[in-house]
Amino acid sequence: VNANGSYSNNNTKQEYSNGLSINSSGVASNGLNSGLVLNWTIFDGLKMFATHNKLKELQTMGELNAKVEIENAISKIMLAYYDIVKQQQLIKATNEAIRLNEERLKIAQKRFDIGSASKLDMLQAKVDLNSQRSNLLKQKMTVDNLKITLNQLISAKVDNQFTVNDTIVISYKPGYDELKGTVTKNNNSLLLSQRNIEVANYTSKEINAIRLPQVGVNANYNFARTKNQIGFVLLNQNLGFNTGFTASWMLFNGLKNRTAYKNAQLQQYIAKVQYEQAQNTVEASVLKAWYNLQAANEVLKLEEENIGVARENVMVAMERFKLGNGTSVEVMTAQKSIEDANGRLITARFDAKAAEIELMRLNGALVK
């Protein structure tokens, strides 16, 4: 829609071939133009469709990029959370070691009091007990620091206090054949790389469309009015409709279109190579993560069996020490065994959970 108006005031002098002459000052004239205009491209080499599809792919890429970032953030948060669970389990294991050392100290004290053992056993028990108490303080400090880190990751106040579950459950156990069939469809980084191929493809179509003719139609409905105080035409007014079409075809522009098209085809090739590389990387990462999860589950199963044996061993050693049939060295060895077994079991649980989280991330199971 357009409109414009004008007004003028002039001194006019006109001489005509038939002898007529006009000489006047302060001559006013005014004009008014308005209209409705429509221009519509009906064919642009199908570029409009290529552009539309390209923008849809870019929108999908934006969503996939967001999912990748969310997945990475959730993975970090989950690992930070389960690290706190791990450290709290280590606190429980340290408390168990403290109770065993307190029991050992009591026995060593009684044996020393009745003269059946030297003071050396009692002193060594005290040293070991204080060492475990020191470990407990350090372990609690580690938990406090990890909670601060988790608060940072979830954008909470750094001094926010919270509790976590004291168990780690491994529930994601897909088969490798199942993973091979789903990872290509579910891995967001791989899907992002696929979309990049489509964007390059539509860019090539956009450039190729420039080689084809451009056709458009136009229509307008105008009103024009001009009024003069002097002259042959004192009033000129038009009101009407007109229509037409345009067609153009770029035949030569210094081979710029050809160069741009070749560059677009090169980008298509690069995008395909990058996808193949990404697919190979993802498949290798999935296989590693699956192997890690299987191995971690086997280690966890073994350590869960081993912890029972270690507890029975330390109870037997403690009872023998209480009855005077065993030595403090036997008790210390048994205590060291259960401490190591507890540490390995807790680490195995965390490692299994970390492998599970990584496998879920790679298979697009963290964010739906």
Side-chain angles (χ1 to χ4, degrees), residues 61-75:
M61 287 180 68
E63 293 169 354
L64 289 171
N65 260 320
K67 280 189 175 182
V68 170
E69 292 299 322
I70 292 171
E71 280 179 338
N72 292 334
I74 289 177
S75 177

Side-chain angles (χ1 to χ4, degrees), residues 94-313:
T94 304
N95 281 325
E96 182 181 0
I98 288 174
R99 288 194 298 271
L100 289 173
N101 276 294
E102 287 174 341
E103 180 66 20
R104 176 180 149 209
L105 178 59
K106 289 178 182 178
I107 296 171
Q109 181 71 54
K110 288 180 180 179
R111 292 183 63 182
F112 173 70
D113 290 342
I114 64 175
S116 63
S118 68
K119 192 176 182 179
L120 181 62
D121 290 343
M122 183 187 67
L123 294 175
Q124 185 61 52
K126 275 189 176 182
V127 170
D128 291 344
L129 177 59
N130 289 335
S131 176
Q132 290 299 334
R133 285 173 175 169
S134 176
N135 289 337
L136 180 62
L137 293 173
K138 293 177 182 178
Q139 204 65 47
K140 288 180 177 179
M141 180 180 66
T142 299
V143 169
D144 290 338
N145 289 334
L146 288 174
K147 285 185 175 181
I148 293 173
T149 299
L150 182 56
N151 281 329
Q152 286 180 304
L153 288 174
I154 62 176
S155 298
K157 292 182 178 180
V158 292
D159 58 351
N160 177 46
Q161 296 300 312
F162 59 90
T163 58
V164 298
N165 292 329
D166 60 353
T167 56
I168 297 178
V169 179
I170 312 299
S171 57
Y172 189 67
K173 299 178 181 179
Y176 183 61
D177 290 337
E178 176 189 346
L179 283 172
K180 287 196 296 184
T182 58
V183 69
T184 303
K185 301 176 183 178
N186 297 337
N187 184 275
N188 289 309
S189 296
L190 206 53
L191 293 174
L192 185 62
S193 186
Q194 285 178 333
R195 300 277 73 78
N196 201 36
I197 294 175
E198 295 301 321
V199 168
N201 180 43
Y202 288 125
T203 300
S204 179
K205 289 182 178 180
E206 281 181 321
I207 296 173
N208 192 49
I210 302 175
R211 299 177 172 183
L212 300 177
Q214 316 288 310
V215 179
V217 295
N218 58 77
N220 57 71
Y221 189 78
N222 290 323
F223 169 76
R225 174 188 173 93
T226 304
K227 186 176 181 181
N228 302 304
Q229 286 187 338
I230 62 172
F232 283 111
V233 182
L234 300 180
L235 176 67
N236 184 17
Q237 179 174 307
N238 291 288
L239 177 65
F241 170 81
N242 60 74
T243 185
F245 76 94
T246 60
S248 63
W249 193 351
M250 175 68 70
L251 298 178
F252 182 75
N253 67 344
L255 302 179
K256 290 181 181 179
N257 291 343
R258 181 182 178 185
T259 302
Y261 184 69
K262 285 186 175 181
N263 288 337
Q265 287 184 313
L266 179 60
Q267 288 302 316
Q268 278 183 281
Y269 174 75
I270 292 173
K272 289 177 181 178
V273 172
Q274 288 175 338
Y275 172 75
E276 292 173 358
Q277 292 174 339
Q279 186 177 29
N280 186 55
T281 300
V282 169
E283 288 176 353
S285 298
V286 167
L287 183 57
K288 289 178 182 178
W290 187 80
Y291 278 143
N292 289 340
L293 181 58
Q294 304 311 305
N297 282 328
E298 289 296 322
V299 171
L300 179 58
K301 183 179 178 181
L302 182 63
E303 293 300 339
E304 285 175 343
E305 295 175 358
N306 193 47
I307 194 66
V309 177
R311 285 199 173 100
E312 184 179 357
N313 181 47

Side-chain angles (χ1 to χ4, degrees), residues 6-8 28-32 225-228:
S6 65
Y7 172 81
S8 63
S29 64
N30 56 73
L32 175 65
R225 174 188 173 93
T226 304
K227 186 176 181 181
N228 302 304

Side-chain angles (χ1 to χ4, degrees), residues 53-69:
N53 291 330
K54 177 181 175 180
L55 291 173
K56 287 173 65 177
E57 292 296 336
L58 289 172
Q59 180 183 6
T60 302
M61 287 180 68
E63 293 169 354
L64 289 171
N65 260 320
K67 280 189 175 182
V68 170
E69 292 299 322

